[in-house]
Amino acid sequence: IKNDQKMIKSYYLNKGFLDVQLLSPKINEIDPLATKITYIIDEGRHYKIKSYKIVGVTSFEVEELEQRVNIAQGEEASRQKIELITESIRSFYGNRGFVNTSIGVSYDTNPTTGHVDITYLVNEGKKSSISNVIIKGNKRTLDKVIRREIVVLPGEDFNRSRLVASRNRLLNLNYFKKVDISPKPSEKENFHDVLVEVEEKPTGQFNAGIGMSSMDSLIGYVDISQGNFKYNTWPPIGGGQKFQVRIQAGTRRNDLEFSFSEPWFLDKKLSFGVNAYHRE
């Protein structure tokens, strides 16, 4: 019921009903097998945008930020769209070294006219650079396998979009269940560390099967693969290499296939692969 109320209120807010209230629902508990729930909604006034302004900007021209505001006078006052602009302004600062910028939104509503004036309150904070990139949670995967996917470096200005890109690159490896990348205050003034926390997941697969067909008659196979392989350790996991062995045997056909690939050959952006097979 609480979740329903939250979704109903969110729906109204996104349609411009900024004063909407949901009263306590009526629940008929006489028949537990056929309970009736009545949601009571006080819609309030429907609002449209009269004006907006951005205050607190000192490091940039206000016009630069206004280019990111895509709301117009007379438009429906959608809470979702207004909050998206908040995120856009925060990203603008985050991509220019400002780690702790906070954005508040003030709504000045006029129930008589149905108009609302919106003020974005910017608290810029201080510009910051990256001190260190710290990696945690990798029990099997080597640090360098993670670090080479991160597109920020110590000494650079903090850049929020690059942190998002780094997180996506790590998730695309398919080695981790979860990846969190966040700034962490450093001992140096006006510097932040980048904390990369990962939660690993199984990356190996074993498949086996048996079947029959008119062409191959009776046949069976075994397939072993490891997506995060490391050739010179035991267990052979954590180096970011790809390895697969497939054995197929039957009354008419026998196959052996082997493949290995190194996506960062000699620690450069070069892919090296070997495929070998024997077929009868």
Side-chain angles (χ1 to χ4, degrees):
I1 290 173
K2 287 183 179 179
N3 190 52
D4 284 346
Q5 287 181 300
K6 183 179 178 182
M7 292 181 70
I8 292 169
K9 186 171 183 178
S10 178
Y11 177 81
Y12 270 91
L13 289 172
N14 293 336
K15 292 293 183 182
F17 292 85
L18 301 180
D19 298 330
V20 64
Q21 295 293 327
L22 268 76
L23 309 179
S24 297
K26 291 182 180 179
I27 304 173
N28 181 1
E29 298 179 348
I30 296 174
D31 183 359
L33 298 179
T35 300
K36 182 179 179 182
I37 303 168
T38 305
Y39 294 102
I40 304 169
I41 305 169
D42 180 4
E43 292 183 335
R45 184 65 190 261
H46 181 250
Y47 288 97
K48 293 187 177 181
I49 295 170
K50 182 181 178 183
S51 67
Y52 74 88
K53 60 182 177 180
I54 304 172
V55 299
V57 179
T58 59
S59 301
F60 304 97
E61 297 294 331
V62 177
E63 289 76 13
E64 287 186 79
L65 293 166
E66 287 178 342
Q67 292 175 4
R68 295 178 168 261
V69 180
N70 60 345
I71 54 177
Q73 184 177 359
E75 186 178 338
E76 189 174 70
S78 168
R79 174 70 68 89
Q80 183 180 37
K81 191 168 184 179
I82 293 167
E83 292 296 336
L84 282 174
I85 293 167
T86 301
E87 184 61 26
S88 179
I89 295 173
R90 188 179 292 112
S91 294
F92 177 89
Y93 275 93
N95 293 341
R96 288 160 178 80
F98 290 82
V99 179
N100 297 319
T101 300
S102 60
I103 315 293
V105 184
S106 173
Y107 297 85
D108 185 8
T109 57
N110 188 332
T112 305
T113 61
H115 290 151
V116 58
D117 296 308
I118 299 167
T119 303
Y120 291 98
L121 308 167
V122 179
N123 181 7
E124 292 183 338
K126 291 184 178 181
K127 191 174 182 179
S128 181
S129 298
I130 297 171
S131 178
N132 292 306
V133 177
I134 302 168
I135 299 171
K136 290 185 177 181
N138 53 321
K139 298 176 182 177
R140 295 172 304 193
T141 306
L142 297 178
D143 266 25
K144 74 172 187 177
V145 173
I146 298 173
R147 202 171 293 276
R148 67 196 184 191
E149 300 296 334
I150 298 171
V151 293
V152 294
L153 294 172
E156 294 180 343
D157 286 346
F158 178 84
N159 189 302
R160 195 169 179 224
S161 291
R162 288 192 178 185
L163 292 190
V164 173
S166 298
R167 179 178 180 272
N168 291 337
R169 285 167 64 100
L170 288 171
L171 286 172
N172 287 340
L173 291 176
N174 207 26
Y175 300 163
F176 310 109
K177 272 194 246 181
K178 184 179 176 185
V179 177
D180 288 322
I181 302 182
S182 57
K184 179 184 176 183
S186 171
E187 295 178 356
K188 299 180 185 177
E189 187 178 358
N190 296 333
F191 276 84
H192 274 73
D193 295 329
V194 172
L195 179 61
V196 181
E197 296 181 282
V198 299
E199 183 180 343
E200 293 175 315
K201 67 180 182 181
T203 52
Q205 286 191 341
F206 174 82
N207 295 297
I210 189 169
M212 182 176 286
S213 72
S214 58
M215 180 175 291
D216 296 324
S217 189
L218 186 66
I219 193 166
Y221 77 92
V222 174
D223 191 318
I224 301 171
S225 64
Q226 174 57 254
N228 189 12
F229 185 70
K230 191 172 189 298
Y231 74 92
N232 57 354
T233 61
W234 188 262
I237 302 172
Q241 300 156 350
K242 313 291 181 188
F243 173 80
Q244 183 179 24
V245 171
R246 181 181 175 90
I247 301 171
Q248 189 169 275
T251 54
R252 296 182 181 175
R253 177 173 178 167
N254 294 306
D255 293 334
L256 173 63
E257 297 182 35
F258 162 85
S259 66
F260 170 85
S261 66
E262 168 60 82
W264 285 73
F265 184 56
L266 301 177
D267 291 327
K268 301 181 185 296
K269 290 185 180 180
L270 296 172
S271 178
F272 171 79
V274 174
N275 293 277
Y277 60 90
H278 173 77
R279 294 190 177 134
E280 292 182 2

